[in-house]
Amino acid sequence: MTRKIHIFDTTLRDGEQSPGASMNTEEKLVVARQLLRLNVDVIEAGFPISSPGDFESVRRIAELAGDQAVVCGLTRAVEKDIDCAADALKYAKRPRIHTGLGVSPSHLRDKLRITEDECIERTIKCVSYAKKYVEDVQFYAEDAGRSDYDFLVRVIQAAVDAGATVVNIPDTTGYSLPEEFGARIKYLMEGVRGIENVTVAVHCHNDLGMATALAMAGVKNGATQIECTINGLGERAGNTAMEEVVMAIKMHEEELDAHTDINTREFVKASRLVSSITGMNVQANKAIVGANAFAHSSGIHQDGVLKKRDTYEIIDPADVGAGASQIVLTARSGHAALKHRLEELGYELEGEALDQVYEAFLNLADKKKEVYDEDLESLINERDRNESALYTLESVQISCGFPLTPTATLTLKDAEGETRTVCEYGTGPIDAVYKAVNKIIEVENDLAEFSVQSVTRGIDALGEVTVRVTAEGGKVYTGRGADGDIIVSSTKAYLNALNRLLLDKQEGR
Ligand code: KIV
Ligand code: ZN
């Protein structure tokens, strides 16, 4: 049997730190369910002390995961952070506290303003303190990628001696070259006493586009845990993408003497889900999950693939859940057929939730004869977005065209069920609708980005709009909306972004 590489997912913590990718608790639970379907080993569910929302997410995900996965909460090397994480993880069947501090010269001198000896002291203190609450304590040596080799050995030795069960070696700034990062892991494997009794993790950032290569270099040199995110989401240029690193291990299992237990057939669905919830689109040429990842356009390539798939294709698309979209349902499909297909896609809906999606499905099937899996996913996401909304769209009407002045008449319903209708003019139809929305919601914001994509092929496809708005103070909120009418999707997307902004305000974030 080859070495098992543990997959530690941090989409809900580091991934969520991407500007505009923040998720509320309900959205995080939807992602967590998908992570469980992927069979990840560890879910880093949040940074509990950072906000009540993060605390609640860690608490609820711990409940959800049961004993299926380890659930982890991040802390600084600070007692009150650790107390808070322990509280959030109180009911977890398999809790882990992830604590640590910076170890590079830049972090010690400029950020923490402590000496090397003080850093060692704080390492011992934070690990021992976390150990009072849980057996499973993971220590991170932030900015290890730019640290002094021998000092890093001292820090990791201190963490291991204090009882850390996992030591995490992050390349926080994505600065390293793969060979150098691999050599660093090897140096630790050879220099730290007892390291063979703990799990060595790598956590790599993608600033130079090498996060996957760095994680692989870590695995080659002894690491047995990879920290990663769906679609490579994460701070700045992101983290190692789970789909990339897992498939790289799968393709090279023998030479690496390594395997993971990930259910790779769930990758495309996970990618679409995270993209839809966060509004972070996946580039078409993204490895494994991009729209073109298995598209062959040159005649020579097409000829080769038709003769034998592996002439130009190293992965069977079915292995990652990619493939031709299936026309699954039509207006004649009943409740049971919809429920069955949704279950096949991994959604278990009952009662009112199923009725709502069925109604939306019938509306769609009336307009668009063939309903694809992507359409169903889009309907579910649309329903989930409305679940926590403070304002919902009742109706929108536009009059526009040459030589009219674009005019929008809009009705929104608030959380108390009160409706309000307003009329606004604009330079174009979207401008008119957004001005109407602002007239009702009255929250300071600046529209920074707007894009529209079709969910499937065909002229009758649903149009999915993504917007990003910047709130007072600079925080970015993403919104999404899908509908057959792109004015309606645009309105829903803007409302979605403003609803998130308002919810954050309510929660004091
Ligand atoms: O990049 C990093 O160093 C981190 C740590 C908190 C693990 O995200
Ligand atoms: Zn990170």
Side-chain angles (χ1 to χ4, degrees), residues 13-14 74 98 140 142 168 170 172 203 205:
R13 199 278 299 167
D14 210 317
L74 184 78
H98 188 190
Y140 66 85
E142 194 178 7
N168 177 14
T172 305
H203 172 114
H205 278 269

Side-chain angles (χ1 to χ4, degrees), residues 305-488:
V305 171
L306 287 175
K307 286 182 177 138
K308 197 158 191 295
R309 188 183 60 78
D310 59 15
T311 50
Y312 285 100
E313 212 167 75
I314 57 166
I315 296 169
D316 181 347
D319 278 354
V320 297
S325 299
Q326 289 181 38
I327 302 163
V328 282
L329 302 170
T330 67
R332 282 183 301 284
S333 309
H335 224 234
L338 175 70
K339 185 170 189 310
H340 178 71
R341 186 58 196 158
L342 289 177
E343 275 168 9
E344 281 176 348
L345 290 172
Y347 298 99
E348 273 160 40
L349 296 188
E350 300 286 349
E352 203 188 327
L354 182 62
D355 292 345
Q356 284 169 354
V357 175
Y358 186 63
E359 200 186 312
F361 156 72
L362 284 183
N363 275 332
L364 180 66
D366 265 351
K367 294 182 199 138
K368 180 179 187 295
K369 287 184 204 74
E370 298 163 336
V371 178
Y372 297 85
D373 289 344
E374 290 89 334
D375 293 320
L376 295 180
E377 284 165 356
S378 187
L379 292 181
I380 298 216
N381 294 336
E382 193 57 48
R383 193 199 78 92
D384 291 345
R385 284 193 280 267
N386 278 329
E387 281 274 273
S388 51
L390 297 173
Y391 287 91
T392 47
L393 178 65
E394 281 289 288
S395 66
V396 59
Q397 266 188 355
I398 293 286
S399 92
C400 66
F402 182 75
L404 299 176
T405 302
T407 311
T409 310
L410 172 87
T411 306
L412 298 185
K413 183 152 84 181
D414 67 19
E416 275 80 48
E418 297 287 323
T419 58
R420 192 168 156 214
T421 303
V422 295
C423 190
E424 268 293 344
Y425 305 100
T427 49
I430 309 286
D431 186 44
V433 181
Y434 284 16
K435 280 187 176 141
V437 170
N438 284 332
K439 202 167 183 180
I440 298 179
I441 297 189
E442 287 183 358
V443 62
E444 194 72 36
N445 75 88
D446 186 29
L447 180 67
E449 218 179 293
F450 176 98
S451 65
V452 58
Q453 272 193 321
S454 67
V455 170
T456 57
R457 64 175 184 269
I459 195 76
D460 56 358
L462 285 176
E464 196 158 55
V465 171
T466 306
V467 299
R468 269 181 239 290
V469 301
T470 312
E472 216 181 344
K475 186 159 177 193
V476 178
Y477 293 87
T478 300
R480 273 203 163 173
D483 196 273
D485 177 329
I486 57 164
I487 298 292
V488 177

